[in-house]
Amino acid sequence: MNVKIIAILLMGAWIGIGDAVAQPSEVDVNALLQRLQELEQRVKLLERNAELNQEAATDQAQAAPTVSVGADGLVVRSADTNFVFALHGLLQVDSRTFFDDGGIAGNDGFLLRRARPIFSGTIYRDFDFNFSPDFGGPTVQIFDAYLHYRYQPWLQARIGKFKTPIGLEYLQPDPVTAFNERALPSGLVSGRDVGFQLGGEVNGGTLSYAVGIFNGLGDGRNSGNMDFDDSKEFAGRLFTLPFLQGEVAGLRGLGLGVGGSWTDYSPASATGLPEGHGYNTVGQQQFFAYNTTTVADGAHWRVAPQSYYYFGPFSLLGEYTLSALKVRQTVAPFQSALLRHTGWQVTVGWVLTGEAAAFNGVTPRRAFDPRHGNWGAFQIVGRYGELNLDEAAFPIYADPAAAARSAQVWTVGLNWYPNKNLTVKTSYARTTFDGGGTGATPLAAITRQPEQVLFTRAQLSF
């Protein structure tokens, strides 16, 4: 603009000088001054218009939504940040290789464990949403579909389909678990259910709580998006990080809590029994099953004390779960019993490359780039766990010849995190059984010998 102004002034001056040279009179000088004033006004007008145009462009830029693409996915955010739409994803491609399994067919191979587009965001600042279908496995399912209202950190509400607040490892996000499959106690809690929950955090996260009412599910089940009876399940969890605000860094990562649930199945239903009417190993093979004449009929409650500890590259997670279920025979003499099944596990880990471990996973300090000597992060993990079935389950409600009374499993693994979005896992698990192993049933074929399985996983998460 300044160049234009100078050019106009010079042109005006040149014209004026030319006229003055041609006719150096007082009238011409006045005319020249008048023209200069007109030019000055025009320049001011042009400058003002430029300022207005600049202000309009700035306002337009501030009102425009922002779009970002990065390690956290695709995020579109309104100018006032009150509206957010995000696209995330999770892809897990696994392999399972069983050793000395007695010739069981169909358990080795590759599988698409999880394949989820995840749509999440915020509307009107305080309302969040999440919709996560899953295309892994044999059928398409809706895993998460909920609305979440944030009134205050200590008071938030959620309605829809989501994880029930009971088990510790089950509540850990799927992409960051230490192993391909969760430990045996997670088979004793319900999965994702439809319901309403209140929850929040107090004192900056020192104490968190969640209480809710749900349709109710058998152990290890996910909801089919609707209820199967008229009863409802009450579930809740209390968790504290007592030293989170303290000065001792070594204690800030200590967490303690307890979860639980209660319901009463009425009328009697086989759907109140565990998924597949039994329990699976970490290799996802069933080692216990109720007889086909057994149904859930009455109270079902769970208690799950739990704890974790994270400090630097070290991680420790442990939990105990009791699932008590009243069952009944559907044939004479129609016996019933309250069966108490228990499970526990301890998982320990160490990040070899020094990054901090956390409940929400490991983020490598340097992304994989071999040309510059960067290899990401490596973590070794180990786990031991058991699941013990109530002795009263045999022989009326389960076949002692085929079904195991208990399972014990130890697992070791190595996890590689090339960057924030990629993970490669490999682990080996060995499960031994007490009981079962007799006869020609598929259940007996599983419990006849220890289960030995090698897992691998390639994962993309963003």
Side-chain angles (χ1 to χ4, degrees):
M1 181 56 67
N2 291 335
V3 175
K4 292 182 179 179
I5 294 171
I6 294 171
I8 293 170
L9 291 175
L10 289 175
M11 183 178 294
W14 181 80
I15 294 171
I17 292 171
D19 291 345
V21 172
Q23 298 178 353
S25 65
E26 183 178 350
V27 175
D28 293 337
V29 171
N30 291 335
L32 177 60
L33 291 174
Q34 183 178 357
R35 294 183 65 182
L36 285 173
Q37 291 175 351
E38 292 175 355
L39 288 171
E40 184 178 7
Q41 291 298 323
R42 293 177 64 182
V43 168
K44 289 182 178 179
L45 180 61
L46 289 173
E47 289 179 338
R48 179 54 184 161
N49 288 337
E51 292 175 355
L52 293 175
N53 290 335
Q54 183 64 35
E55 291 175 359
T58 301
D59 292 341
Q60 185 177 8
Q62 292 177 345
T66 60
V67 179
S68 63
V69 179
D72 295 323
L74 170 65
V75 181
V76 181
R77 184 176 285 106
S78 66
D80 58 6
T81 71
N82 285 339
F83 295 84
V84 179
F85 174 80
L87 173 61
H88 307 286
L90 173 62
L91 175 65
Q92 295 176 341
V93 182
D94 290 10
S95 75
R96 297 172 187 161
T97 304
F98 291 81
F99 304 97
D100 300 326
D101 61 355
I104 300 173
N107 55 358
D108 295 305
F110 297 97
L111 65 147
L112 202 56
R113 187 67 177 87
R114 294 179 176 89
R116 300 175 188 168
I118 302 171
F119 307 94
S120 64
T122 300
I123 58 173
Y124 291 99
R125 186 185 63 189
D126 298 326
F127 297 87
D128 300 328
F129 66 87
N130 185 300
F131 178 68
S132 303
D134 191 302
F135 295 87
T139 60
V140 178
Q141 303 179 62
I142 296 175
F143 267 63
D144 292 304
Y146 62 81
L147 294 173
H148 185 99
Y149 174 59
R150 292 176 282 108
Y151 176 66
Q152 292 288 342
W154 59 272
L155 183 59
Q156 303 183 30
R158 179 175 296 186
I159 187 169
K161 183 177 181 180
F162 49 92
K163 291 182 177 179
T164 52
I166 304 175
L168 177 60
E169 190 188 32
Y170 187 77
L171 291 173
Q172 195 169 29
D174 296 323
V176 300
T177 55
F179 298 93
N180 284 25
E181 303 296 340
R182 289 181 168 86
L184 295 175
S186 291
L188 296 175
V189 300
S190 52
R192 289 171 166 86
D193 200 0
V194 180
F196 174 76
Q197 173 181 293
L198 291 176
E201 295 182 348
V202 180
N203 193 28
T206 301
L207 179 67
S208 62
Y209 75 96
V211 293
I213 179 171
F214 302 87
N215 284 335
L217 294 171
D219 292 345
R221 288 183 180 271
N222 282 317
S223 172
N225 305 328
M226 57 188 301
D227 206 353
F228 63 87
D229 63 7
D230 293 333
S231 62
K232 294 295 174 282
E233 181 176 87
F234 299 92
R237 178 174 179 263
L238 195 64
F239 198 82
T240 179
L241 295 163
F243 305 105
L244 181 63
Q245 309 291 344
E247 297 181 355
V248 182
L251 295 177
R252 292 174 189 159
L254 174 64
L256 304 165
V258 62
S261 67
W262 180 89
T263 188
D264 190 303
Y265 297 121
S266 179
S269 170
T271 312
L273 297 176
E275 177 69 25
H277 295 188
Y279 298 102
N280 294 342
T281 66
V282 294
Q284 303 306 297
Q285 299 188 117
Q286 193 172 63
F287 68 94
F288 171 87
Y290 286 102
N291 294 330
T292 56
T293 55
T294 302
V295 295
D297 184 20
H300 185 196
W301 54 271
R302 308 179 181 94
V303 177
Q306 52 204 247
S307 178
Y308 65 57
Y309 176 69
Y310 293 92
F311 182 62
F314 178 74
S315 61
L316 179 68
L317 184 151
E319 60 183 332
Y320 172 90
T321 303
L322 164 64
S323 175
L325 171 65
K326 188 176 182 181
V327 298
R328 180 174 61 83
Q329 283 285 79
T330 57
V331 296
F334 304 104
Q335 291 177 278
S336 63
L338 181 65
L339 303 179
R340 296 175 176 82
H341 306 315
T342 62
W344 64 274
Q345 65 106 355
V346 175
T347 298
V348 63
W350 183 269
V351 184
L352 299 173
T353 44
E355 286 85 349
F359 188 70
N360 289 321
V362 175
T363 300
R365 188 179 296 117
R366 298 181 182 84
F368 176 70
D369 186 358
R371 289 166 295 188
H372 296 86
N374 299 327
W375 301 94
F378 291 86
Q379 181 188 34
I380 55 172
V381 288
R383 181 173 69 192
Y384 180 82
E386 295 184 1
L387 197 152
N388 301 295
L389 289 308
D390 195 321
E391 286 291 336
F394 307 95
I396 299 174
Y397 310 103
D399 180 7
R405 286 181 162 80
S406 67
Q408 309 83 34
V409 54
W410 59 264
T411 312
V412 293
L414 175 66
N415 299 329
W416 177 35
Y417 307 92
N419 52 52
K420 183 177 180 180
N421 301 112
L422 298 177
T423 303
V424 178
K425 296 180 180 178
T426 181
S427 61
Y428 172 82
R430 188 176 192 275
T431 304
T432 55
F433 307 101
D434 295 326
T438 303
T441 64
L443 197 62
I446 301 298
T447 57
R448 184 172 296 129
Q449 64 283 312
E451 178 189 87
Q452 304 175 79
V453 56
L454 176 68
F455 298 92
T456 64
R457 166 170 293 171
Q459 172 181 288
L460 169 66
S461 175
F462 61 89

